[in-house]
Amino acid sequence: EIERTLALSPRVSSRVEAAWMGGTDLDRFSRYTFDAFENRLHGYPTASIRYDAGAVARTVTSWAARGWRADIFGDIAVVRDPGFGDRLRGYPGAGAAVELSGPFRTLWAVEWGYGFRAHSQALRMTAYRTF
């Protein structure tokens, strides 16, 4: 995995990352997948794409101020899923998110993404509370 973060100003930063994954003769339980935590692909439902080899490139630009942060995302995955043949398939996605600090030491987050290949949308709303 390769990643680079750029501080564009005190309130704006941008990050670019790229990763390559590969395996051979993986069964359906051992294949790679996109999830909601470590290996995201914005706009596609969690675990809807399984693959044995591929590359992913992601970028995010964030604006932050006191009590909030806004992000815009751009992702593309080029992966090979043996269930769909031996050729590589591209899965581009884009999205946006907002995080706000709330009352009682809470953090509220809303994230939306659009998957261009599947014409799918994914929305995730999260509330956190620190103890």
Side-chain angles (χ1 to χ4, degrees):
E1 183 172 312
I2 300 170
E3 91 181 43
R4 173 77 176 164
T5 301
L6 303 167
L8 304 174
S9 77
R11 293 185 181 205
V12 179
S13 66
S14 192
R15 186 179 77 231
V16 177
E17 64 182 64
W20 168 263
M21 289 77 61
T24 57
D25 297 325
L26 301 178
D27 64 21
R28 64 183 178 158
F29 302 108
S30 301
R31 289 189 184 132
Y32 300 101
T33 187
F34 297 103
D35 59 34
F37 298 105
E38 293 184 64
N39 195 17
R40 284 190 169 160
L41 187 60
H42 291 93
Y44 296 90
T46 302
S48 64
I49 302 168
R50 293 188 172 277
Y51 58 98
D52 63 357
V56 180
R58 298 181 180 92
T59 185
V60 60
T61 299
S62 300
W63 292 268
R66 183 170 165 77
W68 65 273
R69 185 181 84 198
D71 302 325
I72 57 171
F73 308 100
D75 303 340
I76 186 161
V78 179
V79 298
R80 183 182 58 166
D81 182 350
F84 291 105
D86 286 333
R87 68 183 185 92
L88 293 171
R89 298 170 68 108
Y91 295 93
V98 175
E99 287 186 357
L100 303 166
S101 59
F104 309 110
R105 296 187 328 199
T106 58
L107 178 65
W108 300 80
V110 177
E111 182 179 309
W112 168 83
Y114 181 77
F116 294 98
R117 182 174 186 89
H119 303 289
S120 62
Q121 298 184 55
L123 179 69
R124 184 171 71 168
M125 295 182 283
T126 312
Y128 303 96
R129 183 171 189 309
T130 58
F131 295 95

